[in-house]
Amino acid sequence: MSDREKCIELLENVPEFKIGYVLAYLQGLTADEAADDAFCEALYQEYLNDTDPEKNDAVTIQDVATELGISL
């Protein structure tokens, strides 16, 4: 039996509520690294080219929690 066949056989015994975990793992294994790198680079360049003068302003975790209505 091939490894692929073993995986398929095991998958038949995975409970339905755990299938999402298996799917996420398989998607991670088959991800296109070059496309992911290009996406991350595009996000980085977008950040660098952002002209918002407040983009580098720091915000405390307390301020974020307060804004979201969370008490720490």
Side-chain angles (χ1 to χ4, degrees), residues 39-64:
F39 176 74
C40 291
E41 180 64 26
L43 287 177
Y44 177 62
Q45 291 302 320
E46 181 180 330
Y47 169 78
L48 290 178
N49 296 324
D50 186 355
T51 58
D52 184 350
E54 297 179 0
K55 76 176 185 181
N56 294 320
D57 291 354
V59 179
T60 67
I61 191 70
Q62 183 62 48
D63 289 343
V64 172

PDB file of all heavy atoms in Angstrom, residues 39-64:
ATOM      1  N   PHE A  39       3.134  37.760  -2.191  1.00  0.00           N
ATOM      2  CA  PHE A  39       2.053  38.436  -1.472  1.00  0.00           C
ATOM      3  C   PHE A  39       2.610  39.231  -0.295  1.00  0.00           C
ATOM      4  O   PHE A  39       2.259  40.400  -0.097  1.00  0.00           O
ATOM      5  CB  PHE A  39       1.019  37.413  -0.995  1.00  0.00           C
ATOM      6  CG  PHE A  39      -0.080  38.011  -0.173  1.00  0.00           C
ATOM      7  CD1 PHE A  39      -1.076  38.766  -0.758  1.00  0.00           C
ATOM      8  CD2 PHE A  39      -0.114  37.812   1.204  1.00  0.00           C
ATOM      9  CE1 PHE A  39      -2.096  39.324  -0.001  1.00  0.00           C
ATOM     10  CE2 PHE A  39      -1.128  38.366   1.970  1.00  0.00           C
ATOM     11  CZ  PHE A  39      -2.119  39.116   1.366  1.00  0.00           C
ATOM     12  N   CYS A  40       3.500  38.612   0.469  1.00  0.00           N
ATOM     13  CA  CYS A  40       4.100  39.295   1.622  1.00  0.00           C
ATOM     14  C   CYS A  40       4.934  40.494   1.180  1.00  0.00           C
ATOM     15  O   CYS A  40       4.892  41.557   1.815  1.00  0.00           O
ATOM     16  CB  CYS A  40       4.950  38.321   2.440  1.00  0.00           C
ATOM     17  SG  CYS A  40       3.974  37.074   3.299  1.00  0.00           S
ATOM     18  N   GLU A  41       5.663  40.348   0.099  1.00  0.00           N
ATOM     19  CA  GLU A  41       6.458  41.459  -0.432  1.00  0.00           C
ATOM     20  C   GLU A  41       5.559  42.607  -0.869  1.00  0.00           C
ATOM     21  O   GLU A  41       5.865  43.777  -0.625  1.00  0.00           O
ATOM     22  CB  GLU A  41       7.326  40.992  -1.599  1.00  0.00           C
ATOM     23  CG  GLU A  41       8.177  42.084  -2.221  1.00  0.00           C
ATOM     24  CD  GLU A  41       9.225  42.674  -1.287  1.00  0.00           C
ATOM     25  OE1 GLU A  41       9.664  41.985  -0.342  1.00  0.00           O
ATOM     26  OE2 GLU A  41       9.615  43.835  -1.507  1.00  0.00           O
ATOM     27  N   ALA A  42       4.437  42.283  -1.502  1.00  0.00           N
ATOM     28  CA  ALA A  42       3.487  43.321  -1.930  1.00  0.00           C
ATOM     29  C   ALA A  42       2.919  44.057  -0.722  1.00  0.00           C
ATOM     30  O   ALA A  42       2.778  45.286  -0.755  1.00  0.00           O
ATOM     31  CB  ALA A  42       2.372  42.702  -2.769  1.00  0.00           C
ATOM     32  N   LEU A  43       2.595  43.324   0.346  1.00  0.00           N
ATOM     33  CA  LEU A  43       2.104  43.968   1.567  1.00  0.00           C
ATOM     34  C   LEU A  43       3.160  44.887   2.162  1.00  0.00           C
ATOM     35  O   LEU A  43       2.859  46.009   2.607  1.00  0.00           O
ATOM     36  CB  LEU A  43       1.696  42.923   2.605  1.00  0.00           C
ATOM     37  CG  LEU A  43       0.414  42.160   2.356  1.00  0.00           C
ATOM     38  CD1 LEU A  43       0.211  41.112   3.453  1.00  0.00           C
ATOM     39  CD2 LEU A  43      -0.780  43.085   2.302  1.00  0.00           C
ATOM     40  N   TYR A  44       4.400  44.431   2.170  1.00  0.00           N
ATOM     41  CA  TYR A  44       5.502  45.225   2.713  1.00  0.00           C
ATOM     42  C   TYR A  44       5.702  46.498   1.891  1.00  0.00           C
ATOM     43  O   TYR A  44       5.855  47.593   2.448  1.00  0.00           O
ATOM     44  CB  TYR A  44       6.779  44.381   2.734  1.00  0.00           C
ATOM     45  CG  TYR A  44       7.996  45.119   3.210  1.00  0.00           C
ATOM     46  CD1 TYR A  44       8.059  45.647   4.502  1.00  0.00           C
ATOM     47  CD2 TYR A  44       9.092  45.293   2.381  1.00  0.00           C
ATOM     48  CE1 TYR A  44       9.175  46.332   4.933  1.00  0.00           C
ATOM     49  CE2 TYR A  44      10.222  45.974   2.816  1.00  0.00           C
ATOM     50  CZ  TYR A  44      10.257  46.494   4.093  1.00  0.00           C
ATOM     51  OH  TYR A  44      11.361  47.181   4.525  1.00  0.00           O
ATOM     52  N   GLN A  45       5.684  46.375   0.572  1.00  0.00           N
ATOM     53  CA  GLN A  45       5.848  47.544  -0.284  1.00  0.00           C
ATOM     54  C   GLN A  45       4.687  48.523  -0.114  1.00  0.00           C
ATOM     55  O   GLN A  45       4.880  49.743  -0.118  1.00  0.00           O
ATOM     56  CB  GLN A  45       5.984  47.126  -1.757  1.00  0.00           C
ATOM     57  CG  GLN A  45       7.267  46.399  -2.067  1.00  0.00           C
ATOM     58  CD  GLN A  45       8.506  47.213  -1.726  1.00  0.00           C
ATOM     59  OE1 GLN A  45       8.560  48.417  -1.938  1.00  0.00           O
ATOM     60  NE2 GLN A  45       9.524  46.545  -1.188  1.00  0.00           N
ATOM     61  N   GLU A  46       3.480  47.988   0.053  1.00  0.00           N
ATOM     62  CA  GLU A  46       2.309  48.839   0.292  1.00  0.00           C
ATOM     63  C   GLU A  46       2.499  49.630   1.585  1.00  0.00           C
ATOM     64  O   GLU A  46       2.202  50.827   1.644  1.00  0.00           O
ATOM     65  CB  GLU A  46       1.047  47.984   0.367  1.00  0.00           C
ATOM     66  CG  GLU A  46      -0.222  48.771   0.579  1.00  0.00           C
ATOM     67  CD  GLU A  46      -1.450  47.878   0.657  1.00  0.00           C
ATOM     68  OE1 GLU A  46      -1.459  46.800   0.029  1.00  0.00           O
ATOM     69  OE2 GLU A  46      -2.395  48.264   1.356  1.00  0.00           O
ATOM     70  N   TYR A  47       3.003  48.968   2.605  1.00  0.00           N
ATOM     71  CA  TYR A  47       3.277  49.647   3.878  1.00  0.00           C
ATOM     72  C   TYR A  47       4.339  50.730   3.689  1.00  0.00           C
ATOM     73  O   TYR A  47       4.176  51.859   4.152  1.00  0.00           O
ATOM     74  CB  TYR A  47       3.736  48.642   4.934  1.00  0.00           C
ATOM     75  CG  TYR A  47       4.282  49.311   6.172  1.00  0.00           C
ATOM     76  CD1 TYR A  47       3.430  49.855   7.112  1.00  0.00           C
ATOM     77  CD2 TYR A  47       5.655  49.407   6.376  1.00  0.00           C
ATOM     78  CE1 TYR A  47       3.927  50.496   8.240  1.00  0.00           C
ATOM     79  CE2 TYR A  47       6.156  50.049   7.493  1.00  0.00           C
ATOM     80  CZ  TYR A  47       5.286  50.587   8.424  1.00  0.00           C
ATOM     81  OH  TYR A  47       5.791  51.223   9.532  1.00  0.00           O
ATOM     82  N   LEU A  48       5.418  50.405   3.003  1.00  0.00           N
ATOM     83  CA  LEU A  48       6.490  51.378   2.797  1.00  0.00           C
ATOM     84  C   LEU A  48       6.007  52.595   2.013  1.00  0.00           C
ATOM     85  O   LEU A  48       6.435  53.726   2.276  1.00  0.00           O
ATOM     86  CB  LEU A  48       7.667  50.738   2.054  1.00  0.00           C
ATOM     87  CG  LEU A  48       8.481  49.706   2.821  1.00  0.00           C
ATOM     88  CD1 LEU A  48       9.569  49.135   1.919  1.00  0.00           C
ATOM     89  CD2 LEU A  48       9.088  50.304   4.078  1.00  0.00           C
ATOM     90  N   ASN A  49       5.112  52.401   1.067  1.00  0.00           N
ATOM     91  CA  ASN A  49       4.624  53.484   0.221  1.00  0.00           C
ATOM     92  C   ASN A  49       3.439  54.237   0.819  1.00  0.00           C
ATOM     93  O   ASN A  49       2.986  55.218   0.241  1.00  0.00           O
ATOM     94  CB  ASN A  49       4.255  52.947  -1.164  1.00  0.00           C
ATOM     95  CG  ASN A  49       5.457  52.413  -1.902  1.00  0.00           C
ATOM     96  OD1 ASN A  49       6.553  52.948  -1.793  1.00  0.00           O
ATOM     97  ND2 ASN A  49       5.271  51.339  -2.654  1.00  0.00           N
ATOM     98  N   ASP A  50       2.943  53.771   1.956  1.00  0.00           N
ATOM     99  CA  ASP A  50       1.819  54.431   2.621  1.00  0.00           C
ATOM    100  C   ASP A  50       2.268  55.803   3.116  1.00  0.00           C
ATOM    101  O   ASP A  50       3.271  55.930   3.813  1.00  0.00           O
ATOM    102  CB  ASP A  50       1.341  53.580   3.791  1.00  0.00           C
ATOM    103  CG  ASP A  50       0.081  54.116   4.446  1.00  0.00           C
ATOM    104  OD1 ASP A  50      -0.382  55.210   4.067  1.00  0.00           O
ATOM    105  OD2 ASP A  50      -0.434  53.428   5.337  1.00  0.00           O
ATOM    106  N   THR A  51       1.525  56.842   2.740  1.00  0.00           N
ATOM    107  CA  THR A  51       1.906  58.212   3.110  1.00  0.00           C
ATOM    108  C   THR A  51       1.244  58.679   4.402  1.00  0.00           C
ATOM    109  O   THR A  51       1.434  59.826   4.798  1.00  0.00           O
ATOM    110  CB  THR A  51       1.553  59.189   1.978  1.00  0.00           C
ATOM    111  OG1 THR A  51       0.139  59.110   1.720  1.00  0.00           O
ATOM    112  CG2 THR A  51       2.333  58.856   0.711  1.00  0.00           C
ATOM    113  N   ASP A  52       0.482  57.816   5.055  1.00  0.00           N
ATOM    114  CA  ASP A  52      -0.171  58.190   6.312  1.00  0.00           C
ATOM    115  C   ASP A  52       0.887  58.545   7.351  1.00  0.00           C
ATOM    116  O   ASP A  52       1.707  57.701   7.717  1.00  0.00           O
ATOM    117  CB  ASP A  52      -1.030  57.037   6.809  1.00  0.00           C
ATOM    118  CG  ASP A  52      -1.828  57.363   8.070  1.00  0.00           C
ATOM    119  OD1 ASP A  52      -1.587  58.432   8.682  1.00  0.00           O
ATOM    120  OD2 ASP A  52      -2.684  56.555   8.446  1.00  0.00           O
ATOM    121  N   PRO A  53       0.876  59.775   7.845  1.00  0.00           N
ATOM    122  CA  PRO A  53       1.903  60.183   8.809  1.00  0.00           C
ATOM    123  C   PRO A  53       1.799  59.460  10.151  1.00  0.00           C
ATOM    124  O   PRO A  53       2.746  59.466  10.928  1.00  0.00           O
ATOM    125  CB  PRO A  53       1.671  61.683   8.967  1.00  0.00           C
ATOM    126  CG  PRO A  53       0.248  61.892   8.583  1.00  0.00           C
ATOM    127  CD  PRO A  53      -0.073  60.836   7.557  1.00  0.00           C
ATOM    128  N   GLU A  54       0.676  58.819  10.413  1.00  0.00           N
ATOM    129  CA  GLU A  54       0.477  58.126  11.695  1.00  0.00           C
ATOM    130  C   GLU A  54       0.785  56.636  11.614  1.00  0.00           C
ATOM    131  O   GLU A  54       0.595  55.909  12.595  1.00  0.00           O
ATOM    132  CB  GLU A  54      -0.959  58.340  12.182  1.00  0.00           C
ATOM    133  CG  GLU A  54      -1.278  59.798  12.463  1.00  0.00           C
ATOM    134  CD  GLU A  54      -2.712  60.004  12.916  1.00  0.00           C
ATOM    135  OE1 GLU A  54      -3.461  59.019  13.013  1.00  0.00           O
ATOM    136  OE2 GLU A  54      -3.078  61.159  13.169  1.00  0.00           O
ATOM    137  N   LYS A  55       1.276  56.163  10.479  1.00  0.00           N
ATOM    138  CA  LYS A  55       1.460  54.716  10.321  1.00  0.00           C
ATOM    139  C   LYS A  55       2.471  54.122  11.298  1.00  0.00           C
ATOM    140  O   LYS A  55       2.430  52.936  11.580  1.00  0.00           O
ATOM    141  CB  LYS A  55       1.837  54.352   8.887  1.00  0.00           C
ATOM    142  CG  LYS A  55       3.271  54.657   8.495  1.00  0.00           C
ATOM    143  CD  LYS A  55       3.553  54.177   7.093  1.00  0.00           C
ATOM    144  CE  LYS A  55       5.005  54.367   6.737  1.00  0.00           C
ATOM    145  NZ  LYS A  55       5.293  53.937   5.375  1.00  0.00           N
ATOM    146  N   ASN A  56       3.375  54.924  11.810  1.00  0.00           N
ATOM    147  CA  ASN A  56       4.389  54.423  12.738  1.00  0.00           C
ATOM    148  C   ASN A  56       4.088  54.732  14.197  1.00  0.00           C
ATOM    149  O   ASN A  56       4.904  54.446  15.061  1.00  0.00           O
ATOM    150  CB  ASN A  56       5.768  54.974  12.365  1.00  0.00           C
ATOM    151  CG  ASN A  56       6.244  54.446  11.033  1.00  0.00           C
ATOM    152  OD1 ASN A  56       6.061  53.282  10.721  1.00  0.00           O
ATOM    153  ND2 ASN A  56       6.830  55.317  10.223  1.00  0.00           N
ATOM    154  N   ASP A  57       2.929  55.331  14.455  1.00  0.00           N
ATOM    155  CA  ASP A  57       2.562  55.654  15.829  1.00  0.00           C
ATOM    156  C   ASP A  57       2.290  54.377  16.617  1.00  0.00           C
ATOM    157  O   ASP A  57       1.630  53.454  16.138  1.00  0.00           O
ATOM    158  CB  ASP A  57       1.319  56.545  15.873  1.00  0.00           C
ATOM    159  CG  ASP A  57       1.578  57.947  15.351  1.00  0.00           C
ATOM    160  OD1 ASP A  57       2.748  58.263  15.058  1.00  0.00           O
ATOM    161  OD2 ASP A  57       0.614  58.717  15.229  1.00  0.00           O
ATOM    162  N   ALA A  58       2.819  54.336  17.816  1.00  0.00           N
ATOM    163  CA  ALA A  58       2.614  53.169  18.680  1.00  0.00           C
ATOM    164  C   ALA A  58       1.309  53.318  19.452  1.00  0.00           C
ATOM    165  O   ALA A  58       0.871  54.420  19.774  1.00  0.00           O
ATOM    166  CB  ALA A  58       3.779  53.032  19.652  1.00  0.00           C
ATOM    167  N   VAL A  59       0.695  52.190  19.753  1.00  0.00           N
ATOM    168  CA  VAL A  59      -0.527  52.150  20.549  1.00  0.00           C
ATOM    169  C   VAL A  59      -0.310  51.108  21.631  1.00  0.00           C
ATOM    170  O   VAL A  59       0.145  50.001  21.353  1.00  0.00           O
ATOM    171  CB  VAL A  59      -1.748  51.761  19.674  1.00  0.00           C
ATOM    172  CG1 VAL A  59      -3.005  51.701  20.507  1.00  0.00           C
ATOM    173  CG2 VAL A  59      -1.918  52.726  18.514  1.00  0.00           C
ATOM    174  N   THR A  60      -0.647  51.460  22.857  1.00  0.00           N
ATOM    175  CA  THR A  60      -0.467  50.511  23.953  1.00  0.00           C
ATOM    176  C   THR A  60      -1.543  49.437  23.901  1.00  0.00           C
ATOM    177  O   THR A  60      -2.633  49.654  23.364  1.00  0.00           O
ATOM    178  CB  THR A  60      -0.523  51.204  25.325  1.00  0.00           C
ATOM    179  OG1 THR A  60      -1.863  51.682  25.535  1.00  0.00           O
ATOM    180  CG2 THR A  60       0.469  52.353  25.409  1.00  0.00           C
ATOM    181  N   ILE A  61      -1.247  48.313  24.478  1.00  0.00           N
ATOM    182  CA  ILE A  61      -2.219  47.232  24.553  1.00  0.00           C
ATOM    183  C   ILE A  61      -3.424  47.666  25.380  1.00  0.00           C
ATOM    184  O   ILE A  61      -4.559  47.282  25.098  1.00  0.00           O
ATOM    185  CB  ILE A  61      -1.581  45.925  25.094  1.00  0.00           C
ATOM    186  CG1 ILE A  61      -2.530  44.737  24.924  1.00  0.00           C
ATOM    187  CG2 ILE A  61      -1.199  46.070  26.538  1.00  0.00           C
ATOM    188  CD1 ILE A  61      -2.722  44.300  23.510  1.00  0.00           C
ATOM    189  N   GLN A  62      -3.194  48.498  26.378  1.00  0.00           N
ATOM    190  CA  GLN A  62      -4.288  49.012  27.194  1.00  0.00           C
ATOM    191  C   GLN A  62      -5.239  49.857  26.344  1.00  0.00           C
ATOM    192  O   GLN A  62      -6.461  49.747  26.469  1.00  0.00           O
ATOM    193  CB  GLN A  62      -3.753  49.834  28.370  1.00  0.00           C
ATOM    194  CG  GLN A  62      -4.840  50.335  29.312  1.00  0.00           C
ATOM    195  CD  GLN A  62      -5.609  49.202  29.976  1.00  0.00           C
ATOM    196  OE1 GLN A  62      -5.013  48.275  30.496  1.00  0.00           O
ATOM    197  NE2 GLN A  62      -6.928  49.277  29.951  1.00  0.00           N
ATOM    198  N   ASP A  63      -4.697  50.719  25.483  1.00  0.00           N
ATOM    199  CA  ASP A  63      -5.536  51.542  24.611  1.00  0.00           C
ATOM    200  C   ASP A  63      -6.364  50.685  23.662  1.00  0.00           C
ATOM    201  O   ASP A  63      -7.542  50.962  23.422  1.00  0.00           O
ATOM    202  CB  ASP A  63      -4.680  52.523  23.808  1.00  0.00           C
ATOM    203  CG  ASP A  63      -4.092  53.628  24.659  1.00  0.00           C
ATOM    204  OD1 ASP A  63      -4.580  53.856  25.789  1.00  0.00           O
ATOM    205  OD2 ASP A  63      -3.130  54.279  24.193  1.00  0.00           O
ATOM    206  N   VAL A  64      -5.758  49.640  23.114  1.00  0.00           N
ATOM    207  CA  VAL A  64      -6.476  48.740  22.215  1.00  0.00           C
ATOM    208  C   VAL A  64      -7.595  48.036  22.976  1.00  0.00           C
ATOM    209  O   VAL A  64      -8.728  47.953  22.500  1.00  0.00           O
ATOM    210  CB  VAL A  64      -5.522  47.715  21.577  1.00  0.00           C
ATOM    211  CG1 VAL A  64      -6.292  46.659  20.786  1.00  0.00           C
ATOM    212  CG2 VAL A  64      -4.515  48.412  20.681  1.00  0.00           C
TER     213      VAL A  64
END
